[in-house]
CSV table of all heavy atoms in Angstrom, one decimal:
chain,number,residue,atom,x,y,z
A,133,ILE,N,187.1,216.9,211.5
A,133,ILE,CA,188.0,217.0,210.4
A,133,ILE,C,188.4,215.6,210.0
A,133,ILE,O,188.2,215.1,208.8
A,133,ILE,CB,189.1,217.9,210.4
A,133,ILE,CG1,188.5,219.4,210.7
A,133,ILE,CG2,190.0,217.8,209.1
A,133,ILE,CD1,189.7,220.4,210.8
A,242,LEU,N,192.6,235.9,204.0
A,242,LEU,CA,191.4,235.6,204.5
A,242,LEU,C,191.5,234.7,205.7
A,242,LEU,O,190.8,234.8,206.6
A,242,LEU,CB,190.4,235.2,203.6
A,242,LEU,CG,190.1,236.0,202.4
A,242,LEU,CD1,188.9,235.3,201.4
A,242,LEU,CD2,189.5,237.4,202.8
A,243,HIS,N,192.5,233.8,205.7
A,243,HIS,CA,192.7,232.9,206.7
A,243,HIS,C,194.2,232.4,206.6
A,243,HIS,O,194.8,232.5,205.6
A,243,HIS,CB,191.8,231.5,206.5
A,243,HIS,CG,191.8,230.6,207.7
A,243,HIS,ND1,192.9,229.8,207.9
A,243,HIS,CD2,190.8,230.3,208.5
A,243,HIS,CE1,192.6,229.1,209.1
A,243,HIS,NE2,191.4,229.4,209.3
A,265,GLU,N,195.8,231.8,213.1
A,265,GLU,CA,195.0,230.9,214.1
A,265,GLU,C,196.1,230.0,214.6
A,265,GLU,O,196.7,229.2,214.0
A,265,GLU,CB,194.0,230.2,213.2
A,265,GLU,CG,193.3,229.1,214.1
A,265,GLU,CD,192.3,228.2,213.4
A,265,GLU,OE1,192.2,228.4,212.1
A,265,GLU,OE2,191.8,227.2,213.9
A,278,GLU,N,192.6,233.2,217.6
A,278,GLU,CA,192.7,233.9,216.3
A,278,GLU,C,192.9,235.3,216.5
A,278,GLU,O,192.2,236.0,217.4
A,278,GLU,CB,191.5,233.5,215.4
A,278,GLU,CG,191.2,232.1,215.2
A,278,GLU,CD,190.2,231.8,214.0
A,278,GLU,OE1,189.9,232.8,213.3
A,278,GLU,OE2,189.8,230.7,213.9
A,323,ARG,N,176.2,234.8,213.6
A,323,ARG,CA,176.4,235.2,212.2
A,323,ARG,C,175.7,236.5,211.9
A,323,ARG,O,175.9,237.1,210.8
A,323,ARG,CB,176.1,234.2,211.1
A,323,ARG,CG,177.0,233.0,211.3
A,323,ARG,CD,176.6,231.8,210.5
A,323,ARG,NE,177.7,230.8,210.7
A,323,ARG,CZ,177.5,229.5,210.3
A,323,ARG,NH1,176.3,229.1,209.7
A,323,ARG,NH2,178.5,228.6,210.5
A,332,ASP,N,181.0,238.8,204.3
A,332,ASP,CA,181.0,237.4,204.1
A,332,ASP,C,182.0,236.7,205.1
A,332,ASP,O,182.8,237.4,205.9
A,332,ASP,CB,181.4,237.1,202.7
A,332,ASP,CG,181.0,235.7,202.2
A,332,ASP,OD1,180.6,235.0,203.0
A,332,ASP,OD2,181.2,235.5,201.1
A,333,PHE,N,182.2,235.5,205.1
A,333,PHE,CA,183.1,234.8,206.0
A,333,PHE,C,183.7,233.6,205.4
A,333,PHE,O,183.0,232.9,204.5
A,333,PHE,CB,182.5,234.5,207.4
A,333,PHE,CG,181.3,233.6,207.2
A,333,PHE,CD1,181.4,232.2,207.3
A,333,PHE,CD2,180.0,234.1,207.2
A,333,PHE,CE1,180.3,231.3,207.2
A,333,PHE,CE2,179.0,233.3,207.1
A,333,PHE,CZ,179.1,231.9,207.2
A,334,VAL,N,184.9,233.1,205.8
A,334,VAL,CA,185.5,231.9,205.5
A,334,VAL,C,185.0,230.9,206.4
A,334,VAL,O,184.5,229.7,206.1
A,334,VAL,CB,187.0,232.0,205.6
A,334,VAL,CG1,187.7,230.7,205.2
A,334,VAL,CG2,187.5,233.0,204.5
A,335,GLU,N,185.1,231.3,207.8
A,335,GLU,CA,184.6,230.4,208.8
A,335,GLU,C,183.8,231.5,209.7
A,335,GLU,O,184.4,232.4,210.1
A,335,GLU,CB,185.6,229.6,209.6
A,335,GLU,CG,186.2,228.6,208.8
A,335,GLU,CD,187.3,227.8,209.6
A,335,GLU,OE1,188.3,228.4,209.9
A,335,GLU,OE2,187.1,226.6,210.1
A,336,LEU,N,182.7,231.0,210.4
A,336,LEU,CA,182.1,231.9,211.4
A,336,LEU,C,181.2,230.9,212.2
A,336,LEU,O,180.1,230.6,211.7
A,336,LEU,CB,181.3,233.0,210.6
A,336,LEU,CG,180.7,234.0,211.6
A,336,LEU,CD1,181.7,234.7,212.5
A,336,LEU,CD2,180.0,235.1,210.8
A,337,GLY,N,181.6,230.7,213.4
A,337,GLY,CA,180.8,229.9,214.2
A,337,GLY,C,181.7,229.5,215.5
A,337,GLY,O,182.4,230.4,216.0
A,339,HIS,N,183.8,225.8,217.4
A,339,HIS,CA,184.3,224.5,217.3
A,339,HIS,C,184.7,223.9,218.7
A,339,HIS,O,185.2,224.7,219.5
A,339,HIS,CB,185.3,224.3,216.3
A,339,HIS,CG,186.6,225.1,216.6
A,339,HIS,ND1,186.6,226.4,216.7
A,339,HIS,CD2,187.9,224.7,216.7
A,339,HIS,CE1,187.9,226.8,217.0
A,339,HIS,NE2,188.7,225.7,217.0
A,350,THR,N,180.9,221.0,216.2
A,350,THR,CA,181.5,222.1,215.4
A,350,THR,C,180.7,222.6,214.4
A,350,THR,O,180.1,221.9,213.6
A,350,THR,CB,182.9,221.5,214.9
A,350,THR,OG1,183.8,221.4,215.8
A,350,THR,CG2,183.5,222.4,213.8
A,351,VAL,N,180.6,223.9,214.3
A,351,VAL,CA,179.7,224.6,213.2
A,351,VAL,C,180.5,225.9,212.8
A,351,VAL,O,180.4,226.8,213.5
A,351,VAL,CB,178.3,225.0,213.8
A,351,VAL,CG1,177.4,225.5,212.5
A,351,VAL,CG2,177.6,223.7,214.4
A,352,VAL,N,181.1,225.8,211.7
A,352,VAL,CA,181.8,227.0,211.2
A,352,VAL,C,181.5,227.3,209.8
A,352,VAL,O,181.7,228.4,209.3
A,352,VAL,CB,183.4,226.7,211.2
A,352,VAL,CG1,183.9,226.5,212.7
A,352,VAL,CG2,183.8,225.4,210.5
A,353,TYR,N,180.7,226.4,209.0
A,353,TYR,CA,180.4,226.7,207.7
A,353,TYR,C,178.8,226.8,207.6
A,353,TYR,O,178.1,226.4,208.5
A,353,TYR,CB,180.7,225.5,206.8
A,353,TYR,CG,182.2,225.1,206.7
A,353,TYR,CD1,182.7,223.9,206.6
A,353,TYR,CD2,183.2,226.2,206.7
A,353,TYR,CE1,184.0,223.6,206.5
A,353,TYR,CE2,184.4,225.9,206.6
A,353,TYR,CZ,184.9,224.6,206.5
A,353,TYR,OH,186.3,224.3,206.5
A,362,MET,N,181.0,219.7,210.0
A,362,MET,CA,181.4,221.1,210.4
A,362,MET,C,180.5,222.2,209.9
A,362,MET,O,180.7,223.4,210.0
A,362,MET,CB,182.8,221.3,209.7
A,362,MET,CG,184.0,220.4,210.2
A,362,MET,SD,185.5,220.7,209.5
A,362,MET,CE,185.9,222.3,210.2
A,381,ASN,N,185.6,230.7,215.8
A,381,ASN,CA,186.0,230.9,214.3
A,381,ASN,C,185.4,232.2,213.8
A,381,ASN,O,184.2,232.1,213.4
A,381,ASN,CB,185.8,229.7,213.6
A,381,ASN,CG,186.5,228.4,213.9
A,381,ASN,OD1,186.2,227.7,214.8
A,381,ASN,ND2,187.7,228.3,213.3
A,382,ILE,N,186.1,233.3,213.8
A,382,ILE,CA,185.7,234.6,213.2
A,382,ILE,C,186.7,235.0,212.2
A,382,ILE,O,187.6,235.6,212.4
A,382,ILE,CB,185.4,235.5,214.4
A,382,ILE,CG1,184.7,235.0,215.6
A,382,ILE,CG2,184.9,236.9,213.9
A,382,ILE,CD1,184.6,235.9,216.8
A,383,ASP,N,186.4,234.6,210.9
A,383,ASP,CA,187.1,234.8,209.8
A,383,ASP,C,186.3,235.6,208.7
A,383,ASP,O,185.7,234.9,207.9
A,383,ASP,CB,187.8,233.7,209.2
A,383,ASP,CG,188.3,232.7,210.3
A,383,ASP,OD1,188.9,233.3,211.2
A,383,ASP,OD2,188.3,231.5,210.1
A,384,VAL,N,186.2,237.0,209.0
A,384,VAL,CA,185.3,237.8,208.1
A,384,VAL,C,186.0,238.7,207.2
A,384,VAL,O,187.1,239.1,207.5
A,384,VAL,CB,184.5,238.7,209.2
A,384,VAL,CG1,183.5,239.5,208.4
A,384,VAL,CG2,183.8,237.8,210.2
A,395,CYS,N,189.9,239.8,208.4
A,395,CYS,CA,190.4,239.7,209.8
A,395,CYS,C,190.1,238.2,210.3
A,395,CYS,O,189.1,237.6,210.0
A,395,CYS,CB,189.8,240.7,210.7
A,395,CYS,SG,190.3,242.3,210.4
A,396,MET,N,191.0,237.7,211.2
A,396,MET,CA,190.8,236.6,211.9
A,396,MET,C,190.8,237.0,213.4
A,396,MET,O,191.6,237.9,213.8
A,396,MET,CB,192.0,235.6,211.8
A,396,MET,CG,192.1,235.1,210.4
A,396,MET,SD,193.3,233.7,210.2
A,396,MET,CE,192.4,232.4,210.9
Side-chain angles (χ1 to χ4, degrees):
I133 295 177
L242 298 181
H243 193 286
E265 174 184 357
E278 300 194 11
R323 291 170 181 172
D332 200 352
F333 60 86
V334 177
E335 295 179 288
L336 187 53
H339 58 305
T350 288
V351 185
V352 296
Y353 300 141
M362 299 180 69
N381 289 86
I382 307 174
D383 310 326
V384 176
C395 287
M396 301 185 73

